[in-house]
Amino acid sequence: MIFCISLSVQSGSSSWPKKWHLADERFATFGCWTDPFQGETVENKPLPPHPGLEGVDLDNLKHKCPAFATGCPYAKIEEADSLAVSFGELSKCPAFKAGCPFTNKSKEEITALLASVPKEHPSLNMNEIPTCEEGIQLVGFLNQFLTASQLDHVFLENDSEPAVPSPVLEDPQLASAMREGTKVIHRAAESSVFTRRFLKGDISREEYGRYILSLYFVYQKMEELLRKHKDHPVVKLIHFPEELDREDTLVSDLQYFYGKDLAAAVMTDPASKTPAVQRYLDAMDKACDVNPALLIAHSYSRYLGDLSGGQILAKRLKKCILQLQEGDASWDTKEGLAFYHFEALGNQAEFKDYYRHQLNGAKVDAETRDLIVQEAVVSFELNIGLFDEIQSLSEANQLIPMKRRRQPRHTPQADNGFGLTCYIMATTLAISAATIGYHAYKRFYKSSN
């Protein structure tokens, strides 16, 4: 069974060495490989015509592709005829008696076939196996659900020498590496239309409500993953749940703006996880699958951003959303702004310095450090995606209507129950209108997607 798939992996899997990239194109053109060079070198024999290579500047190719630096790497292979595999040989494999067992199979059926490969099945030398057009089509399907590491496990490819682990960096300087590595994307995030409007204090309550709803899902996932990997040697260095966790504060703010009933509805409605939100959640899961250490990139970009620029945004919110002015008795209110208050943190500047110190103490090798920096860039890109999506939803009038800010409550006079009755009626109508608007939003949003 392994044979058929191995034909395809060389041409379809991105995990193979770069030297195969031109061979893939050639194999795809010729089908199963035969011996076009007859064992002679390019120097001894001119390159014969090759379908699919018309117009290719072979001299220029030598300079661009290391594999062709000294000529065609396949021209010097001895006994090339031995590499051409007869399809008749496949009949010796029980799995291929009735033809290719993978043809016209579903993902589930192929998975079951792979699982049935016996452990004693001989391993193959992947570098000596040809490919074919059918194999290319198969690998395109396999790559939808098999990772490179899973393919390596299936094909039992043996290296001539065991891999030597990379040395751990004595001073990785992760904090400064992420700061430098994200400078450009950080500026791009600050330049998004929604961010510029936010900084100007020019956003609506509905836009801000959508913003913190998106953040609720992001922090819920991120903090769930931080708890899951809290004992990882890198993750545990920056895991400060008591000081930093934001999920509960976002629940509090959502209840303030939407009301408890509507907040509970939007937080549990799958439709609230918009495409940009879902991409963010999936990206964090994927990062942890690669290496849980990559999670610190998301922690870095979110938490340090909240402790820095988030405080500026809180002031804008007080003016444009809560309609407060500096000097007002209620200016220091935390209602609706719990997300920006880190009650258990103490001195924020000192904590940020300590957080960066912890990052710099992470025991990682050079490859992991570079992956973490790349993931930090991804995190900023995902946040830009959230901003752009909110802007688009707002322009399309697809945001969830919100209940208005409560007016100061006056104590009714003992001889006048009319004021209290009006207040209760107005509050009830406001909540009902918000609920009706939410359901109308759901229908509109779903129909538009």
Side-chain angles (χ1 to χ4, degrees):
M1 291 177 65
I2 297 296
F3 178 83
C4 179
I5 304 178
S6 64
L7 299 184
S8 67
V9 170
Q10 291 182 17
S11 59
S13 173
S14 61
S15 66
W16 304 114
K18 291 182 180 178
K19 69 179 182 180
W20 288 102
H21 75 279
L22 187 65
D24 299 341
E25 182 178 327
R26 184 172 159 235
F27 292 155
T29 303
F30 289 126
C32 288
W33 189 37
T34 57
D35 178 17
F37 297 100
Q38 301 299 322
E40 295 192 42
T41 64
V42 174
E43 290 80 3
N44 296 334
K45 184 175 182 179
L47 186 68
H50 293 287
L53 293 181
E54 295 86 354
V56 175
D57 185 350
L58 295 176
D59 290 331
N60 189 36
L61 181 62
K62 294 179 181 179
H63 300 289
K64 291 185 177 181
C65 180
F68 281 75
T70 58
C72 178
Y74 308 105
K76 302 175 183 179
I77 297 178
E78 296 180 0
E79 299 178 355
D81 286 326
S82 66
L83 294 178
V85 179
S86 169
F87 283 106
E89 295 296 313
L90 289 178
S91 61
K92 297 178 182 180
C93 177
F96 283 80
K97 284 185 176 179
C100 178
F102 301 103
T103 302
N104 299 323
K105 292 294 192 300
S106 68
K107 171 181 174 179
E108 291 72 20
E109 290 171 325
I110 291 179
T111 302
L113 285 171
L114 292 175
S116 69
V117 178
K119 293 183 179 179
E120 60 272 15
H121 194 288
S123 60
L124 299 171
N125 185 345
M126 297 298 297
N127 295 332
E128 293 184 1
I129 294 179
T131 188
C132 60
E133 184 66 28
E134 292 79 5
I136 295 173
Q137 296 175 5
L138 173 61
V139 84
F141 183 71
L142 288 175
N143 284 344
Q144 297 176 20
F145 63 99
L146 284 180
T147 64
S149 61
Q150 288 173 318
L151 287 171
D152 289 341
H153 176 73
V154 169
F155 297 119
L156 302 175
E157 188 172 32
N158 297 320
D159 295 328
S160 56
E161 297 181 1
V164 178
S166 302
V168 172
L169 300 175
E170 293 185 6
D171 186 17
Q173 287 295 309
L174 262 178
S176 58
M178 281 196 281
R179 183 178 64 252
E180 292 299 318
T182 58
K183 273 187 175 180
V184 174
I185 194 68
H186 195 169
R187 286 195 292 270
E190 293 175 337
S191 301
S192 71
V193 175
F194 179 74
T195 304
R196 292 202 308 269
R197 291 180 53 230
F198 201 152
L199 290 171
K200 291 179 181 178
D202 186 29
I203 63 172
S204 66
R205 292 172 67 89
E206 284 72 22
E207 288 172 325
Y208 183 66
R210 177 63 253 186
Y211 174 67
I212 58 175
L213 180 58
S214 296
L215 290 187
Y216 165 74
F217 293 117
V218 170
Y219 278 94
Q220 183 184 54
K221 168 61 74 173
M222 184 173 70
E223 290 167 2
E224 172 191 332
L225 292 172
L226 285 169
R227 289 190 295 271
K228 178 180 179 181
H229 299 288
K230 64 181 180 180
D231 295 324
H232 186 279
V234 174
V235 175
K236 69 180 182 181
L237 293 175
I238 51 84
H239 186 218
F240 301 100
E242 293 184 6
E243 293 84 358
L244 295 178
D245 277 7
R246 298 289 87 195
E247 181 182 352
D248 290 342
T249 63
L250 285 163
V251 171
S252 175
D253 288 348
L254 286 167
Q255 290 176 344
Y256 175 83
F257 285 104
Y258 286 106
K260 289 187 176 181
D261 292 339
L262 186 53
V266 296
M267 287 189 292
T268 56
D269 186 357
S272 295
K273 292 182 180 179
T274 54
V277 170
Q278 193 61 55
R279 283 193 295 271
Y280 206 139
L281 307 185
D282 293 342
M284 288 190 285
D285 278 329
K286 181 180 179 181
C288 288
D289 289 342
V290 173
N291 187 340
L294 302 187
L295 189 57
I296 69 175
H298 293 278
S299 173
Y300 165 85
S301 64
R302 282 295 347 160
Y303 287 131
L304 288 195
D306 300 334
L307 290 171
S308 301
Q311 303 311 304
I312 298 174
L313 297 179
K315 291 182 180 180
R316 298 290 187 274
L317 290 169
K318 289 180 180 181
K319 292 183 178 181
C320 72
I321 301 297
L322 301 183
Q323 299 178 349
L324 301 176
Q325 296 297 324
E326 292 188 52
D328 290 351
S330 55
W331 175 255
D332 294 327
T333 182
K334 298 177 183 178
E335 283 192 298
L337 301 172
F339 174 67
Y340 302 100
H341 290 273
F342 295 79
E343 302 293 352
L345 199 59
N347 188 296
Q348 292 190 9
E350 291 180 0
F351 179 83
K352 287 190 289 185
D353 288 341
Y354 178 69
Y355 189 95
R356 296 186 184 101
H357 171 77
Q358 290 292 95
L359 283 175
N360 290 333
K363 302 297 182 183
V364 297
D365 56 25
E367 181 182 3
T368 303
R369 179 193 60 189
D370 293 344
L371 287 175
I372 291 172
V373 173
Q374 292 172 19
E375 193 65 24
V377 173
V378 170
S379 178
F380 275 94
E381 291 173 342
L382 292 168
N383 278 283
I384 292 174
L386 294 183
F387 303 154
D388 291 345
E389 183 179 66
I390 295 169
Q391 182 67 28
S392 297
L393 290 174
S394 179
E395 292 173 354
N397 196 28
Q398 294 180 10
L399 295 172
I400 303 174
M402 234 186 227
K403 76 186 186 91
R404 298 294 93 188
R405 181 192 173 197
R406 295 174 182 171
Q407 297 298 320
R409 183 174 180 177
H410 300 286
T411 303
Q413 298 295 326
D415 60 347
N416 185 7
F418 179 75
L420 177 60
T421 301
C422 289
Y423 176 81
I424 294 173
M425 291 178 61
T427 302
T428 302
L429 288 172
I431 295 174
S432 299
T435 303
I436 293 170
Y438 166 65
H439 290 294
Y441 155 80
K442 283 182 62 179
R443 290 196 299 271
F444 180 81
Y445 183 77
K446 288 180 179 178
S447 63
S448 64
N449 286 281

